[in-house]
């Protein structure tokens, strides 16, 4: 693509929360800084009757909440001038002629972003194909959740594949767009230092936490049919696990990276019925307080049935059956309405083989990759306590970028531009998605059959106590407890 060619961006689900909270602000930020911005064309599609002018106004109101005031300059007028709204029912094949009429003729890059319910994906792709809109330079972005299980994901993928080739399909997982995740790749594969110790001989355990303080945010209906395992573990958490555990790919080329991630997913030890009982914890939040503010219990949230058995918290122990990782537990934990908003990967190294020096605190060697709330990379080591004697104490080496390196791109900014440029490295290939479902499905199945207890936890805590027990049983502790 030449630098000034621009592209068309067609956003299905244009009035939805994701579009207004994440996608339009990300597009706006990129537009403000782009040299070819004048040739972009954005068409937002929704079912609500509205003129383009009304939509621009609505989008401005909503985007304002997610943009810094310094970003809201006259760049917005330029952006809005290229933003159209099309009221249409995406399930109606006749409606696609109106979309075709809005898109400039000619062969240029075109992105169809499907931020809709996954049940609509197959139909939208079919109608795009029938209307002649699936041109060779088109790409389609599929938002998660991509199905509810392997069978429904397969159905969607097969139908989308009738219209778009695998090279045109971008299955998005916005966690892979986060700066620290890419920094972890840079750290692992840009230095000779870490690779020799990145294995079972030197690493004791890996912990991946995504804790949110928010609840279901008005999405009670959707969330209650989904739960934390499908919403967070099957995708975001397993993708993070892959980035930590994969072998060094031969290159950063998409299929080389995706081949290595796939091997990790295929090496995850399947959980038997007994394993599911012993190595998974499901919880649901009860009323509590977060940051001094009272918070409702999950079952009192709008759209959630009072007797709901859906999990809002999951902790589990995963193991990878290969030479590099045999015997190293990967603890995964995610929950809504927890004490802090925190997403981090903690790599705990083994203790020094001979404790020659003493200190008031137990020795730690640990790499902490924080994704949220503030992206950072930190190495915890032991160093001498200054002054007399030879005591040691923990110190932290901050390996983050300096604050001078400017505003970081948000995950969606990076991933949207990757789609426009046709870079697939940070998107999931179909076989990866299938492998992730294959690993998660027995857990879902056992939970349905065995109905293991749904452990309550108060909003504003780190989850049910059984989550700590899961880790303590192996002689380890969650990072915040250590
Ligand atoms: C989404 C989930 O994929 O990720 C949401 O559907 C969750 O339930 C969100 O809140 C978390 O994303 P982030 O980037 O805010 O941590």
């Amino acid at each position: 693509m030449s630098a000034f060619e621009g592209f068309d961006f067609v956003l299905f689900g244009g009035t939805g929360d994701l579009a207004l909270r994440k996608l339009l602000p990300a597009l706006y930020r990129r537009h403000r800084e782009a040299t070819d911005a004048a040739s972009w064309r954005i068409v937002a599609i929704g079912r609500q009757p509205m003129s383009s002018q009304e939509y621009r106004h609505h989008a401005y109101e909503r985007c304002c909440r997610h943009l810094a005031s310094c970003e809201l300059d006259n760049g917005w007028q330029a952006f809005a001038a290229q933003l159209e709204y099309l009221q249409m029912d995406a399930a109606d094949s006749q409606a696609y002629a109106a979309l075709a009429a809005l898109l400039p003729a000619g062969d240029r890059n075109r992105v169809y972003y499907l931020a809709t319910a996954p049940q609509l994906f197959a139909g939208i792709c079919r109608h795009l194909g029938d209307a002649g809109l699936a041109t060779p330079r088109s790409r389609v972005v599929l938002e998660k959740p991509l199905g509810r299980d392997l069978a429904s994901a397969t159905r969607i993928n097969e139908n989308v594949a009738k219209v778009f080739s695998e090279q045109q399909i971008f299955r998005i997982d916005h966690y892979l767009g986060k700066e620290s995740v890419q920094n972890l790749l840079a750290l692992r594969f840009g230095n000779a230092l870490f690779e020799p110790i990145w294995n079972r001989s030197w690493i004791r355990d890996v912990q991946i936490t995504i804790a949110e303080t928010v609840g279901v945010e008005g999405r009670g209906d959707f969330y209650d049919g989904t739960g934390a395992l499908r919403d967070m573990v099957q995708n975001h958490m397993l993708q993070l696990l892959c980035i930590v555990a994969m072998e060094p790919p031969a290159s950063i080329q998409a299929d080389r990276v995706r081949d290595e991630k796939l091997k990790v997913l295929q090496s995850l030890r399947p959980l038997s019925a007994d394993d599911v009982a012993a190595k998974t914890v499901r919880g649901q939040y009860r009323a509590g307080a977060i940051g001094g503010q009272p918070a409702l219990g999950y079952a009192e949230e709008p759209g959630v049935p009072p007797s709901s058995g859906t999990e809002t918290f999951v902790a589990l122990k995963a193991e990878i059956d290969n030479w590099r990782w045999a015997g190293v537990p990967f603890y995964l934990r995610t929950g809504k309405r927890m004490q802090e908003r925190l997403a981090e990967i903690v790599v705990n190294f083994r203790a020094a083989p001979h404790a020659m020096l003493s200190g008031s605190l137990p020795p730690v060697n640990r790499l902490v990759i924080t994704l949220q709330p503030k992206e950072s990379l930190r190495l915890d080591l032991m160093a001498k306590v200054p002054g007399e004697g030879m005591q040691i104490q923990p110190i932290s080496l901050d390996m983050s970028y300096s604050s001078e390196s400017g505003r970081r791109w948000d995950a969606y900014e990076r991933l949207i531009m990757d789609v426009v440029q046709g870079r697939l490295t940070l998107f999931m290939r179909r076989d990866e998605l299938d492998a992730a479902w294959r690993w998660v499905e027995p857990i879902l199945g056992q939970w349905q059959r065995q109905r293991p207890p749904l452990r309550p936890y108060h909003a504003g805590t780190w989850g049910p106590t059984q989550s700590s027990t899961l880790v303590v049983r192996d002689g380890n502790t969650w990072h915040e407890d250590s």
Side-chain angles (χ1 to χ4, degrees), residues 339-471:
Q339 186 165 324
E340 276 174 36
R341 176 169 185 249
L342 177 73
E344 67 174 19
I345 302 169
V346 179
V347 178
N348 284 312
F349 293 94
R350 294 191 187 283
H354 172 55
M356 191 182 84
L357 305 170
S358 61
S360 52
L361 292 165
V364 282
N365 283 174
R366 175 163 60 202
L367 179 67
V368 182
I369 303 119
T370 308
L371 284 61
Q372 268 155 207
K374 202 169 171 302
E375 301 182 311
S376 70
L377 207 62
R378 196 184 83 211
L379 188 61
D380 293 344
L381 301 167
M382 300 306 286
K384 182 181 170 297
V385 178
E388 204 187 354
M390 198 54 211
Q391 291 272 305
I392 52 170
Q393 66 178 357
I395 55 147
S396 289
L397 282 184
D398 182 356
M399 300 187 292
S400 314
Y401 299 114
S402 73
S403 50
E404 282 120 52
S405 50
R407 186 185 71 79
R408 311 255 175 95
W409 286 26
D410 156 74
Y412 278 102
E413 288 178 69
R414 183 172 298 109
L415 294 175
I416 287 173
M417 295 324 287
D418 276 358
V419 179
V420 171
Q421 304 286 344
R423 291 189 288 254
L424 277 157
T425 304
L426 296 175
F427 295 82
M428 282 178 292
R429 204 169 54 194
R430 178 175 169 181
D431 48 8
E432 276 182 79
L433 184 84
D434 291 351
W437 275 123
R438 264 189 209 104
W439 190 72
V440 160
E441 270 197 340
I443 307 177
L444 287 168
Q446 280 306 321
W447 281 0
Q448 212 168 21
R449 280 188 290 278
Q450 291 176 342
R451 293 255 141 236
L454 189 59
R455 311 287 185 184
Y457 62 101
H458 286 293
T461 64
W462 282 106
T465 50
Q466 289 77 7
S467 150
S468 300
T469 316
L470 177 79
V471 178

Side-chain angles (χ1 to χ4, degrees), residues 18 21-22 143-145 173-175 178 210-212 214-217 219 222-223 226 230-232 235-236 336 341 343 372 410-412:
L18 182 70
R21 197 161 49 88
K22 295 281 190 189
E143 256 297 340
K144 65 171 276 284
D173 186 310
H174 75 279
Y175 267 72
K178 295 193 188 254
I210 306 181
E212 299 184 89
V214 292
V216 288
E217 301 285 278
R219 296 190 305 159
F222 156 78
Y223 193 87
T226 304
R230 287 191 177 95
D231 190 41
M232 300 296 285
N235 32 69
H236 303 322
K336 300 249 179 229
R341 176 169 185 249
Q372 268 155 207
D410 156 74
Y412 278 102

